[in-house]
Amino acid sequence: MTSQPSLAKEDATQPHKGNGAPSTGGSNGSPGSDGLKAGLKNRHLSMIAIGGVIGAGLFVGSSSGIAAAGPAILISYALVGVLVVFVMRMLGEMAAANPASGSFSEYADRALGRWAGFTIGWLYWFFWVVVLAVEATAGAVILEGWIPAVPQWGWALIVMVVLTATNLVSVGSYGEFEFWFAGIKVVAIGAFVVIGFLAVFGFLPGSDNPGAGFAHLTDTGGFLPNGAGAILTGVLMVVFSFMGSEIVTLAAGESEDPQRAVTKATNSVIWRIAVFYLGSIFVVLTLLPWNDKSIVDKGSYVAALDSIGIPHAGQIMNVIVLTAVLSCLNSGLYTASRMAFSLGGRGDAPKSFAKVERNGVPRVAILASVVFGFVAVGANYLWEDTVFLFLLNSSGAVALFVWLVIAITQLKMRGIILRESPEKLVVKMWLFPVLTWLTIGMIVFICGYMLVDDAGREQMLPSLGVAALVLVIAVARERMRAARR
């Protein structure tokens, strides 16, 4: 292994801390040292951590996974859930030691080199600004169904403008909106799991579903109706719905107690994934046979609620999905802007991105992110099958790239932390380095499987192309910097 870069010594492998934008938390971990205000309260961070794993993809995408793998989709969710738990544990170890607005991008910058922080930082920013367009369009579809007088593009514009204004006011306003958005999602999923389990075992008064216990897990072609290979297909279909768990590590730098927030979020990720993902999907699969047509036609959660006899299940789910969409938009804009802010502070983006206004928000970084989001929304309406499809596919595998970089970075950062500030190692990755290497192997395997899977290849190849382009730019920049020295 090559020599470890130092936390104390600022060199070419460390983020530049000039331009008024040092690393959030600084050397002593104090929040706000980069001009960002510590405006997020502990309750904000707690709900961001809980709600971060509940994306709109869970509500609208789970039906296709069930159709592909049957009850075995539970194994797919469990495998990806374990992967996310490991990644979050590794990220939590680094974030608790040094909370930073750029999170894993800054850690990669320090541990692997400027090229790594630049590449993964811009890819992550690109992922979230494309997500802005996807979620704005999804929200607009629901809102147009309720109020058709306003065209779909008008609703997309409205929700983007409102949430941009929210992020521009203060980080506290973002936190407050996200607290309530995430709270609705958490309550909805929690209620669904409780009511569903009561109906499964016949304890729900007035239920239209007789309750078959665990019978539906095996009574229609067995637990693996489409074969063991369908588990891997299911993994590819559900892996991207977990993206967002890492947001709390970016937000922690603007909280009252970053180390405590990160530690708490990291320790709770296991039960969050178990309850919200495995618990809710388990309820769907035990209430209905996996091949019930209503699961695909109506969506898995609406079909489950309809089977119980919950009135207006479709509209109830539309409200919940809209909340999830707005939550994702709100967090996506926040996350993209903070990554842009971090890149600006390290000299890897325009310096104006690192400028902080009096209210403690990086206005230029927010506006730059939302402008690209508006461009992507326009592409969705004007060139849905060409430009927007390319944007969507080329960002599709970024989640895997981010997780891979986190794991590789943690291999080196553990030694840096132990040498420079061992007292900050309050969160530790289990069985280091064995589980870290296992995680790396799992991610590489999934990436490889995507290349041989027809649907996966449509996302992996464009994503690799964009990643290669950004990497070439990063390396060229480093060589130009070296030539000037």
Side-chain angles (χ1 to χ4, degrees):
M1 183 174 290
T2 57
S3 59
Q4 304 276 17
S6 169
L7 284 171
K9 180 181 178 182
E10 185 171 310
D11 56 20
T13 65
Q14 276 197 287
H16 285 300
K17 298 185 180 182
N19 307 324
S23 174
T24 305
S27 59
N28 60 0
S30 59
S33 62
D34 53 2
L36 296 175
K37 289 187 177 180
L40 294 176
K41 300 177 181 178
N42 287 332
R43 65 181 177 88
H44 293 156
L45 263 294
S46 296
M47 198 56 73
I48 289 170
I50 295 173
V53 296
I54 309 174
L58 174 62
F59 298 105
V60 299
S62 55
S63 57
S64 58
I66 292 173
I73 194 68
L74 286 170
I75 299 178
S76 302
Y77 273 105
L79 288 173
V80 179
V82 169
L83 181 63
V84 172
V85 168
F86 288 168
V87 170
M88 279 299 294
R89 188 72 184 184
M90 288 183 275
L91 183 56
E93 176 180 302
M94 297 182 286
N98 182 31
S101 59
S103 186
F104 51 85
S105 175
E106 290 199 26
Y107 309 143
D109 199 318
R110 292 185 176 192
L112 306 178
R114 294 289 299 277
W115 63 270
F118 178 96
T119 303
I120 204 63
W122 276 113
L123 285 176
Y124 192 68
W125 178 86
F126 174 62
F127 172 86
W128 280 111
V129 293
V130 172
V131 166
L132 293 181
V134 175
E135 299 296 342
T137 303
V141 170
I142 296 174
L143 290 167
E144 185 188 30
W146 293 342
I147 308 177
V150 179
Q152 195 178 113
W153 67 265
W155 281 119
L157 179 65
I158 289 170
V159 296
M160 288 279 279
V161 169
V162 169
L163 292 176
T164 299
T166 299
N167 276 265
L168 286 172
V169 171
S170 69
V171 69
S173 63
Y174 153 72
E176 198 63 32
F177 269 73
E178 190 57 24
F179 176 82
W180 292 105
F181 286 154
I184 292 172
K185 292 189 295 184
V186 170
V187 170
I189 289 290
F192 176 82
V193 171
V194 172
I195 292 173
F197 267 111
L198 290 175
V200 166
F201 296 106
F203 298 138
L204 184 67
S207 173
D208 293 343
N209 192 309
F214 299 139
H216 287 321
L217 294 177
T218 56
D219 64 3
T220 311
F223 188 75
L224 293 166
N226 296 328
I231 294 174
L232 290 177
T233 302
V235 165
L236 300 188
M237 301 181 77
V238 308
V239 65
F240 305 110
S241 65
F242 283 81
M243 191 67 162
S245 304
E246 71 291 333
I247 291 175
V248 68
T249 65
L250 282 82
E254 294 176 78
S255 68
E256 298 165 345
D257 189 349
Q259 190 178 81
R260 178 178 178 271
V262 170
T263 303
K264 185 176 180 181
T266 302
N267 290 336
S268 64
V269 70
I270 297 176
W271 71 259
R272 285 185 279 133
I273 289 175
V275 172
F276 299 131
Y277 278 87
L278 293 176
S280 61
I281 299 300
F282 181 83
V283 164
V284 172
L285 290 168
T286 49
L287 281 175
L288 294 166
W290 69 272
N291 59 351
D292 191 299
K293 291 184 178 180
S294 65
I295 293 179
V296 174
D297 294 341
K298 300 179 181 179
S300 53
Y301 291 85
V302 174
L305 291 174
D306 275 344
S307 77
I308 298 173
I310 302 295
H312 311 295
Q315 287 304 318
I316 292 173
M317 194 52 59
N318 273 340
V319 172
I320 296 170
V321 170
L322 179 62
T323 302
V325 164
L326 294 176
S327 172
C328 194
L329 267 172
N330 194 37
S331 289
L333 182 52
Y334 171 84
T335 304
S337 65
R338 278 4 181 229
M339 186 58 74
F341 166 81
S342 175
L343 289 166
R346 287 177 278 152
D348 290 335
K351 292 181 181 179
S352 58
F353 283 15
K355 183 180 178 182
V356 178
E357 304 301 317
R358 290 184 179 180
N359 59 353
V361 300
R363 183 175 65 184
V364 176
I366 292 174
L367 293 177
S369 301
V370 81
V371 163
F372 193 95
F374 276 123
V375 170
V377 170
N380 188 23
Y381 288 106
L382 298 175
W383 309 289
E384 180 180 0
D385 296 327
T386 53
V387 177
F388 185 72
L389 182 62
F390 172 77
L391 290 175
L392 198 61
N393 285 335
S394 59
S395 64
V398 168
L400 292 169
F401 300 162
V402 168
W403 296 346
L404 183 61
V405 168
I406 289 172
I408 296 173
T409 300
Q410 191 259 341
L411 282 173
K412 298 195 72 174
M413 281 297 293
R414 168 66 74 91
I416 298 172
I417 297 170
L418 284 175
R419 186 174 66 251
E420 300 295 336
S421 48
E423 72 281 358
K424 292 184 179 180
L425 196 62
V426 295
V427 176
K428 293 183 180 181
M429 176 58 183
W430 307 293
L431 297 177
F432 177 84
V434 176
L435 287 185
T436 300
W437 280 111
L438 177 62
T439 302
I440 292 172
M442 290 172 64
I443 297 171
V444 170
F445 176 80
I446 293 173
C447 290
Y449 188 76
M450 287 185 71
L451 288 172
V452 299
D453 179 81
D454 291 339
R457 188 164 52 248
E458 292 179 0
Q459 293 189 8
M460 180 56 72
L461 289 178
S463 296
L464 284 173
V466 170
L469 175 63
V470 178
L471 179 59
V472 168
I473 295 173
V475 172
R477 283 170 54 89
E478 286 307 296
R479 290 184 176 179
M480 291 172 60
R481 284 195 181 109
R484 290 195 296 265
R485 284 199 289 266

mmCIF file of all heavy atoms in Angstrom, residues 108-142:
data_model
loop_
_atom_site.group_PDB
_atom_site.id
_atom_site.type_symbol
_atom_site.label_atom_id
_atom_site.label_comp_id
_atom_site.label_asym_id
_atom_site.label_seq_id
_atom_site.Cartn_x
_atom_site.Cartn_y
_atom_site.Cartn_z
ATOM 1 N N ALA A 108 -12.462 11.194 -0.485
ATOM 2 C CA ALA A 108 -11.745 10.623 -1.633
ATOM 3 C C ALA A 108 -10.632 11.561 -2.074
ATOM 4 O O ALA A 108 -9.538 11.114 -2.461
ATOM 5 C CB ALA A 108 -12.711 10.375 -2.785
ATOM 6 N N ASP A 109 -10.889 12.853 -2.003
ATOM 7 C CA ASP A 109 -9.889 13.865 -2.338
ATOM 8 C C ASP A 109 -8.645 13.687 -1.473
ATOM 9 O O ASP A 109 -7.509 13.697 -1.953
ATOM 10 C CB ASP A 109 -10.515 15.246 -2.123
ATOM 11 C CG ASP A 109 -9.780 16.354 -2.853
ATOM 12 O OD1 ASP A 109 -8.534 16.327 -2.840
ATOM 13 O OD2 ASP A 109 -10.443 17.231 -3.415
ATOM 14 N N ARG A 110 -8.851 13.464 -0.193
ATOM 15 C CA ARG A 110 -7.742 13.331 0.746
ATOM 16 C C ARG A 110 -7.032 11.982 0.618
ATOM 17 O O ARG A 110 -5.808 11.905 0.616
ATOM 18 C CB ARG A 110 -8.245 13.484 2.173
ATOM 19 C CG ARG A 110 -8.716 14.875 2.521
ATOM 20 C CD ARG A 110 -9.072 14.960 3.989
ATOM 21 N NE ARG A 110 -9.447 16.324 4.348
ATOM 22 C CZ ARG A 110 -9.581 16.744 5.595
ATOM 23 N NH1 ARG A 110 -9.356 15.898 6.586
ATOM 24 N NH2 ARG A 110 -9.917 17.989 5.846
ATOM 25 N N ALA A 111 -7.825 10.937 0.509
ATOM 26 C CA ALA A 111 -7.239 9.596 0.587
ATOM 27 C C ALA A 111 -6.703 9.097 -0.758
ATOM 28 O O ALA A 111 -5.686 8.398 -0.790
ATOM 29 C CB ALA A 111 -8.279 8.607 1.119
ATOM 30 N N LEU A 112 -7.393 9.437 -1.846
ATOM 31 C CA LEU A 112 -7.035 8.870 -3.142
ATOM 32 C C LEU A 112 -6.389 9.880 -4.083
ATOM 33 O O LEU A 112 -5.653 9.496 -4.984
ATOM 34 C CB LEU A 112 -8.277 8.274 -3.817
ATOM 35 C CG LEU A 112 -9.065 7.250 -2.998
ATOM 36 C CD1 LEU A 112 -10.297 6.776 -3.775
ATOM 37 C CD2 LEU A 112 -8.191 6.070 -2.618
ATOM 38 N N GLY A 113 -6.688 11.162 -3.890
ATOM 39 C CA GLY A 113 -6.124 12.183 -4.756
ATOM 40 C C GLY A 113 -7.186 13.132 -5.272
ATOM 41 O O GLY A 113 -8.381 12.822 -5.259
ATOM 42 N N ARG A 114 -6.722 14.286 -5.743
ATOM 43 C CA ARG A 114 -7.661 15.298 -6.227
ATOM 44 C C ARG A 114 -8.543 14.771 -7.354
ATOM 45 O O ARG A 114 -9.713 15.139 -7.468
ATOM 46 C CB ARG A 114 -6.884 16.533 -6.721
ATOM 47 C CG ARG A 114 -6.134 17.317 -5.650
ATOM 48 C CD ARG A 114 -7.079 18.066 -4.745
ATOM 49 N NE ARG A 114 -7.878 19.035 -5.452
ATOM 50 C CZ ARG A 114 -7.468 20.279 -5.766
ATOM 51 N NH1 ARG A 114 -6.244 20.674 -5.446
ATOM 52 N NH2 ARG A 114 -8.265 21.122 -6.371
ATOM 53 N N TRP A 115 -7.976 13.919 -8.198
ATOM 54 C CA TRP A 115 -8.743 13.379 -9.324
ATOM 55 C C TRP A 115 -9.963 12.606 -8.861
ATOM 56 O O TRP A 115 -11.034 12.656 -9.496
ATOM 57 C CB TRP A 115 -7.851 12.476 -10.186
ATOM 58 C CG TRP A 115 -7.349 11.271 -9.437
ATOM 59 C CD1 TRP A 115 -6.204 11.170 -8.720
ATOM 60 C CD2 TRP A 115 -8.005 10.000 -9.326
ATOM 61 N NE1 TRP A 115 -6.085 9.912 -8.155
ATOM 62 C CE2 TRP A 115 -7.175 9.180 -8.518
ATOM 63 C CE3 TRP A 115 -9.193 9.481 -9.839
ATOM 64 C CZ2 TRP A 115 -7.522 7.868 -8.207
ATOM 65 C CZ3 TRP A 115 -9.540 8.175 -9.522
ATOM 66 C CH2 TRP A 115 -8.699 7.383 -8.715
ATOM 67 N N ALA A 116 -9.813 11.885 -7.742
ATOM 68 C CA ALA A 116 -10.920 11.058 -7.246
ATOM 69 C C ALA A 116 -12.036 11.925 -6.677
ATOM 70 O O ALA A 116 -13.227 11.693 -6.953
ATOM 71 C CB ALA A 116 -10.413 10.082 -6.189
ATOM 72 N N GLY A 117 -11.668 12.925 -5.870
ATOM 73 C CA GLY A 117 -12.682 13.814 -5.305
ATOM 74 C C GLY A 117 -13.414 14.591 -6.377
ATOM 75 O O GLY A 117 -14.638 14.780 -6.313
ATOM 76 N N PHE A 118 -12.674 15.065 -7.379
ATOM 77 C CA PHE A 118 -13.262 15.797 -8.498
ATOM 78 C C PHE A 118 -14.254 14.911 -9.252
ATOM 79 O O PHE A 118 -15.397 15.301 -9.508
ATOM 80 C CB PHE A 118 -12.145 16.261 -9.436
ATOM 81 C CG PHE A 118 -12.620 16.984 -10.671
ATOM 82 C CD1 PHE A 118 -12.663 18.364 -10.699
ATOM 83 C CD2 PHE A 118 -13.013 16.286 -11.808
ATOM 84 C CE1 PHE A 118 -13.089 19.041 -11.845
ATOM 85 C CE2 PHE A 118 -13.448 16.939 -12.952
ATOM 86 C CZ PHE A 118 -13.486 18.330 -12.969
ATOM 87 N N THR A 119 -13.819 13.706 -9.600
ATOM 88 C CA THR A 119 -14.637 12.817 -10.427
ATOM 89 C C THR A 119 -15.928 12.405 -9.731
ATOM 90 O O THR A 119 -17.030 12.563 -10.270
ATOM 91 C CB THR A 119 -13.838 11.557 -10.817
ATOM 92 O OG1 THR A 119 -12.645 11.946 -11.500
ATOM 93 C CG2 THR A 119 -14.660 10.646 -11.711
ATOM 94 N N ILE A 120 -15.814 11.902 -8.513
ATOM 95 C CA ILE A 120 -17.008 11.396 -7.838
ATOM 96 C C ILE A 120 -17.909 12.539 -7.398
ATOM 97 O O ILE A 120 -19.139 12.395 -7.355
ATOM 98 C CB ILE A 120 -16.629 10.479 -6.641
ATOM 99 C CG1 ILE A 120 -17.793 9.530 -6.335
ATOM 100 C CG2 ILE A 120 -16.229 11.286 -5.418
ATOM 101 C CD1 ILE A 120 -18.126 8.577 -7.462
ATOM 102 N N GLY A 121 -17.319 13.708 -7.095
ATOM 103 C CA GLY A 121 -18.117 14.861 -6.708
ATOM 104 C C GLY A 121 -18.998 15.348 -7.846
ATOM 105 O O GLY A 121 -20.202 15.589 -7.671
ATOM 106 N N TRP A 122 -18.425 15.473 -9.047
ATOM 107 C CA TRP A 122 -19.209 15.941 -10.185
ATOM 108 C C TRP A 122 -20.212 14.889 -10.660
ATOM 109 O O TRP A 122 -21.330 15.222 -11.085
ATOM 110 C CB TRP A 122 -18.283 16.339 -11.334
ATOM 111 C CG TRP A 122 -17.755 17.733 -11.190
ATOM 112 C CD1 TRP A 122 -16.473 18.118 -10.968
ATOM 113 C CD2 TRP A 122 -18.524 18.943 -11.241
ATOM 114 N NE1 TRP A 122 -16.373 19.484 -10.876
ATOM 115 C CE2 TRP A 122 -17.626 20.023 -11.053
ATOM 116 C CE3 TRP A 122 -19.872 19.224 -11.436
ATOM 117 C CZ2 TRP A 122 -18.036 21.345 -11.041
ATOM 118 C CZ3 TRP A 122 -20.291 20.555 -11.428
ATOM 119 C CH2 TRP A 122 -19.382 21.593 -11.242
ATOM 120 N N LEU A 123 -19.852 13.620 -10.577
ATOM 121 C CA LEU A 123 -20.808 12.572 -10.942
ATOM 122 C C LEU A 123 -22.007 12.579 -10.000
ATOM 123 O O LEU A 123 -23.158 12.405 -10.430
ATOM 124 C CB LEU A 123 -20.130 11.197 -10.923
ATOM 125 C CG LEU A 123 -19.191 10.872 -12.085
ATOM 126 C CD1 LEU A 123 -18.519 9.521 -11.860
ATOM 127 C CD2 LEU A 123 -19.947 10.867 -13.414
ATOM 128 N N TYR A 124 -21.730 12.784 -8.727
ATOM 129 C CA TYR A 124 -22.817 12.811 -7.746
ATOM 130 C C TYR A 124 -23.705 14.024 -7.991
ATOM 131 O O TYR A 124 -24.931 13.922 -7.917
ATOM 132 C CB TYR A 124 -22.220 12.849 -6.344
ATOM 133 C CG TYR A 124 -23.213 12.599 -5.228
ATOM 134 C CD1 TYR A 124 -23.793 11.354 -5.056
ATOM 135 C CD2 TYR A 124 -23.545 13.608 -4.313
ATOM 136 C CE1 TYR A 124 -24.691 11.116 -4.022
ATOM 137 C CE2 TYR A 124 -24.433 13.377 -3.278
ATOM 138 C CZ TYR A 124 -25.007 12.136 -3.139
ATOM 139 O OH TYR A 124 -25.887 11.905 -2.121
ATOM 140 N N TRP A 125 -23.110 15.163 -8.261
ATOM 141 C CA TRP A 125 -23.891 16.360 -8.584
ATOM 142 C C TRP A 125 -24.764 16.099 -9.807
ATOM 143 O O TRP A 125 -25.951 16.427 -9.822
ATOM 144 C CB TRP A 125 -22.939 17.528 -8.836
ATOM 145 C CG TRP A 125 -23.622 18.804 -9.217
ATOM 146 C CD1 TRP A 125 -24.131 19.753 -8.376
ATOM 147 C CD2 TRP A 125 -23.883 19.270 -10.555
ATOM 148 N NE1 TRP A 125 -24.695 20.776 -9.106
ATOM 149 C CE2 TRP A 125 -24.562 20.502 -10.446
ATOM 150 C CE3 TRP A 125 -23.612 18.763 -11.827
ATOM 151 C CZ2 TRP A 125 -24.961 21.242 -11.559
ATOM 152 C CZ3 TRP A 125 -24.021 19.485 -12.943
ATOM 153 C CH2 TRP A 125 -24.688 20.717 -12.798
ATOM 154 N N PHE A 126 -24.181 15.496 -10.833
ATOM 155 C CA PHE A 126 -24.913 15.188 -12.062
ATOM 156 C C PHE A 126 -26.092 14.267 -11.774
ATOM 157 O O PHE A 126 -27.205 14.473 -12.284
ATOM 158 C CB PHE A 126 -23.943 14.547 -13.061
ATOM 159 C CG PHE A 126 -24.594 14.051 -14.316
ATOM 160 C CD1 PHE A 126 -25.249 14.926 -15.173
ATOM 161 C CD2 PHE A 126 -24.549 12.698 -14.652
ATOM 162 C CE1 PHE A 126 -25.850 14.456 -16.344
ATOM 163 C CE2 PHE A 126 -25.135 12.227 -15.814
ATOM 164 C CZ PHE A 126 -25.791 13.118 -16.662
ATOM 165 N N PHE A 127 -25.874 13.262 -10.935
ATOM 166 C CA PHE A 127 -26.955 12.335 -10.578
ATOM 167 C C PHE A 127 -28.146 13.091 -9.994
ATOM 168 O O PHE A 127 -29.290 12.873 -10.406
ATOM 169 C CB PHE A 127 -26.442 11.305 -9.577
ATOM 170 C CG PHE A 127 -27.517 10.419 -9.007
ATOM 171 C CD1 PHE A 127 -27.916 9.273 -9.666
ATOM 172 C CD2 PHE A 127 -28.134 10.743 -7.799
ATOM 173 C CE1 PHE A 127 -28.921 8.460 -9.141
ATOM 174 C CE2 PHE A 127 -29.130 9.940 -7.274
ATOM 175 C CZ PHE A 127 -29.528 8.792 -7.942
ATOM 176 N N TRP A 128 -27.891 13.975 -9.056
ATOM 177 C CA TRP A 128 -28.989 14.625 -8.352
ATOM 178 C C TRP A 128 -29.698 15.679 -9.191
ATOM 179 O O TRP A 128 -30.916 15.871 -9.049
ATOM 180 C CB TRP A 128 -28.517 15.211 -7.023
ATOM 181 C CG TRP A 128 -28.416 14.158 -5.966
ATOM 182 C CD1 TRP A 128 -27.288 13.661 -5.395
ATOM 183 C CD2 TRP A 128 -29.503 13.441 -5.365
ATOM 184 N NE1 TRP A 128 -27.597 12.678 -4.488
ATOM 185 C CE2 TRP A 128 -28.944 12.530 -4.439
ATOM 186 C CE3 TRP A 128 -30.882 13.476 -5.520
ATOM 187 C CZ2 TRP A 128 -29.737 11.667 -3.679
ATOM 188 C CZ3 TRP A 128 -31.669 12.615 -4.765
ATOM 189 C CH2 TRP A 128 -31.083 11.728 -3.851
ATOM 190 N N VAL A 129 -28.994 16.372 -10.090
ATOM 191 C CA VAL A 129 -29.708 17.349 -10.916
ATOM 192 C C VAL A 129 -30.577 16.644 -11.948
ATOM 193 O O VAL A 129 -31.621 17.178 -12.355
ATOM 194 C CB VAL A 129 -28.734 18.340 -11.591
ATOM 195 C CG1 VAL A 129 -28.064 19.235 -10.552
ATOM 196 C CG2 VAL A 129 -27.699 17.644 -12.451
ATOM 197 N N VAL A 130 -30.194 15.441 -12.378
ATOM 198 C CA VAL A 130 -31.078 14.657 -13.247
ATOM 199 C C VAL A 130 -32.282 14.162 -12.448
ATOM 200 O O VAL A 130 -33.413 14.160 -12.938
ATOM 201 C CB VAL A 130 -30.318 13.472 -13.886
ATOM 202 C CG1 VAL A 130 -31.285 12.549 -14.632
ATOM 203 C CG2 VAL A 130 -29.247 13.970 -14.845
ATOM 204 N N VAL A 131 -32.038 13.773 -11.185
ATOM 205 C CA VAL A 131 -33.143 13.346 -10.318
ATOM 206 C C VAL A 131 -34.155 14.471 -10.151
ATOM 207 O O VAL A 131 -35.368 14.227 -10.084
ATOM 208 C CB VAL A 131 -32.606 12.888 -8.946
ATOM 209 C CG1 VAL A 131 -33.742 12.775 -7.918
ATOM 210 C CG2 VAL A 131 -31.903 11.538 -9.077
ATOM 211 N N LEU A 132 -33.685 15.719 -10.083
ATOM 212 C CA LEU A 132 -34.605 16.857 -9.965
ATOM 213 C C LEU A 132 -35.630 16.841 -11.092
ATOM 214 O O LEU A 132 -36.826 17.042 -10.863
ATOM 215 C CB LEU A 132 -33.832 18.179 -9.996
ATOM 216 C CG LEU A 132 -32.897 18.498 -8.829
ATOM 217 C CD1 LEU A 132 -32.237 19.847 -9.034
ATOM 218 C CD2 LEU A 132 -33.647 18.468 -7.511
ATOM 219 N N ALA A 133 -35.165 16.587 -12.309
ATOM 220 C CA ALA A 133 -36.075 16.553 -13.458
ATOM 221 C C ALA A 133 -37.041 15.378 -13.371
ATOM 222 O O ALA A 133 -38.239 15.517 -13.650
ATOM 223 C CB ALA A 133 -35.264 16.475 -14.753
ATOM 224 N N VAL A 134 -36.531 14.230 -12.974
ATOM 225 C CA VAL A 134 -37.377 13.029 -12.860
ATOM 226 C C VAL A 134 -38.476 13.237 -11.827
ATOM 227 O O VAL A 134 -39.662 12.969 -12.076
ATOM 228 C CB VAL A 134 -36.523 11.809 -12.485
ATOM 229 C CG1 VAL A 134 -37.415 10.586 -12.237
ATOM 230 C CG2 VAL A 134 -35.513 11.498 -13.584
ATOM 231 N N GLU A 135 -38.097 13.736 -10.662
ATOM 232 C CA GLU A 135 -39.072 13.893 -9.581
ATOM 233 C C GLU A 135 -40.038 15.040 -9.861
ATOM 234 O O GLU A 135 -41.225 14.946 -9.526
ATOM 235 C CB GLU A 135 -38.338 14.135 -8.251
ATOM 236 C CG GLU A 135 -37.412 13.003 -7.833
ATOM 237 C CD GLU A 135 -38.138 11.702 -7.560
ATOM 238 O OE1 GLU A 135 -39.362 11.732 -7.368
ATOM 239 O OE2 GLU A 135 -37.500 10.643 -7.551
ATOM 240 N N ALA A 136 -39.551 16.132 -10.456
ATOM 241 C CA ALA A 136 -40.441 17.247 -10.789
ATOM 242 C C ALA A 136 -41.513 16.793 -11.778
ATOM 243 O O ALA A 136 -42.688 17.160 -11.662
ATOM 244 C CB ALA A 136 -39.644 18.408 -11.367
ATOM 245 N N THR A 137 -41.120 15.979 -12.736
ATOM 246 C CA THR A 137 -42.079 15.455 -13.713
ATOM 247 C C THR A 137 -43.064 14.505 -13.056
ATOM 248 O O THR A 137 -44.278 14.553 -13.329
ATOM 249 C CB THR A 137 -41.335 14.730 -14.850
ATOM 250 O OG1 THR A 137 -40.402 15.628 -15.454
ATOM 251 C CG2 THR A 137 -42.308 14.238 -15.898
ATOM 252 N N ALA A 138 -42.570 13.639 -12.163
ATOM 253 C CA ALA A 138 -43.455 12.695 -11.464
ATOM 254 C C ALA A 138 -44.477 13.443 -10.608
ATOM 255 O O ALA A 138 -45.659 13.086 -10.580
ATOM 256 C CB ALA A 138 -42.628 11.749 -10.600
ATOM 257 N N GLY A 139 -44.024 14.468 -9.918
ATOM 258 C CA GLY A 139 -44.938 15.263 -9.107
ATOM 259 C C GLY A 139 -45.954 15.999 -9.966
ATOM 260 O O GLY A 139 -47.138 16.111 -9.602
ATOM 261 N N ALA A 140 -45.492 16.504 -11.125
ATOM 262 C CA ALA A 140 -46.385 17.242 -12.011
ATOM 263 C C ALA A 140 -47.493 16.355 -12.554
ATOM 264 O O ALA A 140 -48.635 16.801 -12.735
ATOM 265 C CB ALA A 140 -45.579 17.842 -13.159
ATOM 266 N N VAL A 141 -47.198 15.094 -12.828
ATOM 267 C CA VAL A 141 -48.210 14.151 -13.326
ATOM 268 C C VAL A 141 -49.331 13.987 -12.312
ATOM 269 O O VAL A 141 -50.524 14.014 -12.656
ATOM 270 C CB VAL A 141 -47.565 12.787 -13.643
ATOM 271 C CG1 VAL A 141 -48.632 11.739 -13.922
ATOM 272 C CG2 VAL A 141 -46.613 12.903 -14.828
ATOM 273 N N ILE A 142 -48.955 13.840 -11.032
ATOM 274 C CA ILE A 142 -49.967 13.680 -9.979
ATOM 275 C C ILE A 142 -50.789 14.951 -9.825
ATOM 276 O O ILE A 142 -52.026 14.919 -9.760
ATOM 277 C CB ILE A 142 -49.293 13.320 -8.641
ATOM 278 C CG1 ILE A 142 -48.607 11.953 -8.748
ATOM 279 C CG2 ILE A 142 -50.316 13.317 -7.504
ATOM 280 C CD1 ILE A 142 -47.799 11.582 -7.517
#
